[in-house]
Amino acid sequence: MLSADFLHLEQDVELVNRHADLFHLDIMDGTFVPNISFGFPVVEAIARMARKPLDVHLMIVHPEKYVARFAACGAAMISFHLEAALQDGTRPDEILQQIRSCGTKAGLVINPDIPVERLYPYLKAADFVLLMSVFAGFGGQRFIETTYDRVRTLKEEIQRQGLTCPIEVDGGVSSANAGALAAAGAEIFVAGSSVFKAADPVAEIEAIRSK
Ligand code: ZN
């Protein structure tokens, strides 16, 4: 939703309601990432109209402070960055558990420069994992090609551990790379600019879905 038109948010929420599977909400704090996005008033407004689940991606320090509040907004999925937890000195497995205890699916995220192996100890505690295919913090960046291999490697490890948690990919995702991402093992596709800046957003959603 970071790429939505905030002056006509209702229209873009309705587009997602009708054609997509979930609302991906990027929360940026100006500290963990240099950018600031939007906060509770916007999330609550979207939640009031949303007929698809809310997927809240926290790009913030101390995510554990805000988990309960985003869950109360109606988030069905909440993810946070492993890097944020490590830099805060908090335990990622405990934050995952905290998210689950709110009745919300818990996800762990890493930026493109963090080896996927760093996620392995936490896979059991996660309901999904999110690989950034651009660096967290800004919409509209170009997809990083090494993501395919990272998805493949992570998928193999998830299977090796006998788990089923889906891999979500976020950043520069479009109908041009969704097919190769799906083939590598990705299951949840976050598309911002490719959809909202498309001449025909519905056609782009359908094109991603068909891959
Ligand atoms: Zn995101």
Side-chain angles (χ1 to χ4, degrees):
M1 295 306 289
L2 192 61
S3 305
D5 179 351
F6 285 85
L7 276 180
H8 301 91
L9 196 50
E10 192 168 356
Q11 262 175 28
D12 285 345
V13 168
E14 206 43 39
L15 173 76
V16 174
N17 275 335
R18 284 169 193 254
H19 300 284
D21 301 309
L22 49 81
F23 288 89
H24 185 86
L25 306 173
D26 287 313
I27 309 299
M28 305 177 184
D29 64 354
T31 300
F32 177 66
V33 290
N35 204 5
I36 294 177
S37 60
F38 49 79
F40 295 112
V42 172
V43 174
E44 284 161 355
I46 293 172
R48 279 199 296 277
M49 263 196 86
R51 299 192 304 274
K52 296 288 168 68
L54 302 188
D55 171 22
V56 174
H57 173 189
L58 300 177
M59 306 182 192
I60 65 176
V61 295
H62 288 291
E64 74 282 1
K65 290 185 183 172
Y66 300 96
V67 162
R69 199 152 164 209
F70 281 108
C73 288
M77 303 159 69
I78 296 177
S79 59
F80 63 96
H81 278 257
L82 177 65
E83 306 94 298
L86 297 178
Q87 139 191 346
D88 295 341
T90 53
R91 289 188 47 180
D93 50 340
E94 286 180 1
I95 303 173
L96 289 166
Q97 186 49 46
Q98 183 197 3
I99 296 171
R100 281 178 162 180
S101 72
C102 296
T104 304
K105 286 187 177 160
L108 200 53
V109 192
I110 51 171
N111 264 315
D113 60 343
I114 305 295
V116 289
E117 290 76 11
R118 300 283 292 277
L119 291 172
Y120 294 178
Y122 308 106
L123 292 175
K124 271 193 194 67
D127 296 302
F128 65 101
V129 280
L130 171 47
L131 291 184
M132 291 302 300
S133 37
V134 301
F135 282 87
F138 296 92
Q141 297 177 68
R142 204 183 146 86
F143 179 83
I144 297 173
E145 302 281 331
T146 52
T147 307
Y148 302 120
D149 283 337
R150 288 164 60 76
V151 170
R152 212 170 286 121
T153 305
L154 181 57
K155 181 73 176 181
E156 281 167 13
E157 177 64 16
I158 290 169
Q159 288 170 336
R160 199 190 63 77
Q161 292 193 25
L163 304 171
T164 55
C165 62
I167 300 172
E168 180 173 21
V169 180
D170 181 8
V173 173
S174 71
S175 53
N177 50 36
L181 284 169
E187 292 177 57
I188 305 171
F189 302 86
V190 178
S193 316
S194 68
V195 167
F196 288 113
K197 310 291 184 233
D200 185 346
V202 176
E204 175 62 10
I205 293 171
E206 294 308 322
I208 293 170
R209 201 191 289 288
S210 71
K211 299 292 176 184

